[in-house]
Amino acid sequence: DEQSGSVQWSWPAPAGEMFIRNIVAADNLVFVSTDRAVYAIDMATHQQAWSIAVPGGLSIASLKYLLIASPARRDDAPATLTAIRLG
């Protein structure tokens, strides 16, 4: 709550995972990344709507794409950009 500072709802990371990077919101979903995946959380139900096993930094493009920038995990692995069409 903006006025009182009380927690309205929360969503815990799955067991064995930890949150990384930033959080973004679009329409009815909040997107969070753990060290293993990105999760879409429904703001009305506070439940996981879907997930993708691609962790990374998050951004929403003006054309309603969720962008995930994943760093290289090894010296010989390239960094990747994943785009997911929303809606």
Side-chain angles (χ1 to χ4, degrees):
D1 182 85
E2 186 177 0
Q3 292 181 357
S4 70
S6 65
V7 175
Q8 299 298 295
W9 62 276
S10 64
W11 186 82
E17 297 183 35
M18 56 189 280
F19 290 115
I20 63 168
R21 309 288 176 117
N22 60 319
I23 298 169
V24 296
D27 296 327
N28 64 328
L29 297 173
V30 174
F31 301 97
V32 297
S33 183
T34 69
D35 54 338
R36 296 185 190 169
V38 167
Y39 296 89
I41 310 305
D42 186 291
M43 285 193 269
T45 66
H46 312 141
Q47 300 297 311
Q48 176 183 323
W50 54 265
S51 67
I52 183 171
V54 178
L58 306 174
S59 180
I60 300 287
S62 62
L63 297 175
K64 298 209 176 203
Y65 282 92
L66 173 66
L67 303 176
I68 307 169
S70 299
R73 294 190 182 139
R74 303 180 316 270
D75 290 339
D76 61 340
T80 59
L81 179 63
T82 302
I84 299 171
R85 180 129 171 96
L86 302 173

